[in-house]
Amino acid sequence: MPQLELTRGEYGLEGEIRLPAWEHWQIQEQARPIRVDFGGDRVEEGLELTESYRTALAYIFAGQEQIQNAILMGILEHLAQQEDDLLSDAMEDDFALSGMPYAHEPADLLGELQREEIHILRVERTGLCYIGYAFGCRWDEDGIGVMTCGSRVVEVGSRDTALLCWLAEDDLRHFH
């Protein structure tokens, strides 16, 4: 795992990483580092880089292609559901789908997403922290968030989905 320089930011420990598997999934021409932070929406004063957080970071680097595939499939399913919901609500034939991309396979999202943040949460299942990924996207100015546990997508939604500990705790309760 590459060395990670951490600083104490507004939301606890944070730093920047680069993930080669995601370098070409950018909106901008030049790939930027991805901001990573620890704790999600429940940051505690004096938070240290625990063994669980180190394990989560190692998992992100080692499994980045598998995680990427799961996230992209989760986003595709989310977009398909949103499209179905919008179409079922539409009363006119010329109803526009609010700029959403025509996406049916991961490659269709190339150039539509910008990986911006990774939130490693304090909630864990079988020794692995829940991890949220936040993206900028062309079709929604607020972006999109994905909550995962390992390479399993828990939830796709608004950008905040990526950092909500209660969402991870709810999944943990219902997954057992």
Side-chain angles (χ1 to χ4, degrees):
M1 178 176 75
Q3 186 66 23
L4 175 65
E5 275 191 50
L6 295 174
T7 60
R8 291 218 184 269
E10 182 179 354
Y11 300 104
L13 289 177
E14 55 187 47
E16 292 183 337
I17 60 173
R18 290 193 179 273
L19 296 173
W22 283 90
E23 293 284 319
H24 62 286
W25 291 92
Q26 305 290 323
I27 292 173
Q28 296 148 348
E29 278 187 40
Q30 216 168 15
R32 297 182 316 196
I34 303 161
R35 189 174 81 72
V36 62
D37 64 46
F38 302 86
D41 63 345
R42 293 193 191 146
V43 176
E44 293 180 9
E45 197 64 34
L47 180 67
E48 296 301 324
L49 194 60
T50 65
E51 191 59 36
S52 293
Y53 288 149
R54 290 178 201 281
T55 300
L57 275 171
Y59 180 79
I60 290 169
F61 283 102
Q64 59 186 290
E65 289 180 17
Q66 181 182 8
I67 296 165
Q68 172 187 279
N69 292 336
I71 287 172
L72 291 172
M73 292 308 295
I75 290 173
L76 287 173
E77 290 171 16
H78 176 75
L79 289 174
Q81 183 60 52
Q82 277 191 316
E83 186 176 313
D84 288 348
D85 292 348
L86 287 171
L87 287 174
S88 68
D89 292 343
M91 301 301 264
E92 301 174 10
D93 291 338
D94 62 348
F95 182 75
L97 292 176
S98 67
M100 288 181 0
Y102 177 79
H104 294 283
E105 58 184 66
D108 295 336
L109 293 173
L110 186 62
E112 298 289 333
L113 297 170
Q114 176 79 33
R115 177 95 148 261
E116 295 178 346
E117 301 168 355
I118 298 175
H119 305 280
I120 301 176
L121 307 185
R122 298 184 62 213
V123 182
E124 47 182 286
R125 180 177 182 281
T126 61
L128 187 59
C129 296
Y130 280 75
I131 302 172
Y133 300 86
F135 297 87
C137 57
R138 291 194 188 275
W139 68 90
D140 186 339
E141 67 183 36
D142 294 328
I144 192 167
V146 180
M147 175 71 63
T148 66
C149 183
S151 63
R152 180 176 61 88
V153 172
V154 173
E155 183 84 25
V156 179
S158 67
R159 182 181 208 88
D160 289 350
T161 300
L163 59 88
L164 298 173
C165 289
W166 71 263
L167 193 67
E169 290 167 342
D170 189 54
D171 181 72
L172 188 60
R173 275 192 299 278
H174 292 96
F175 197 81
H176 289 313

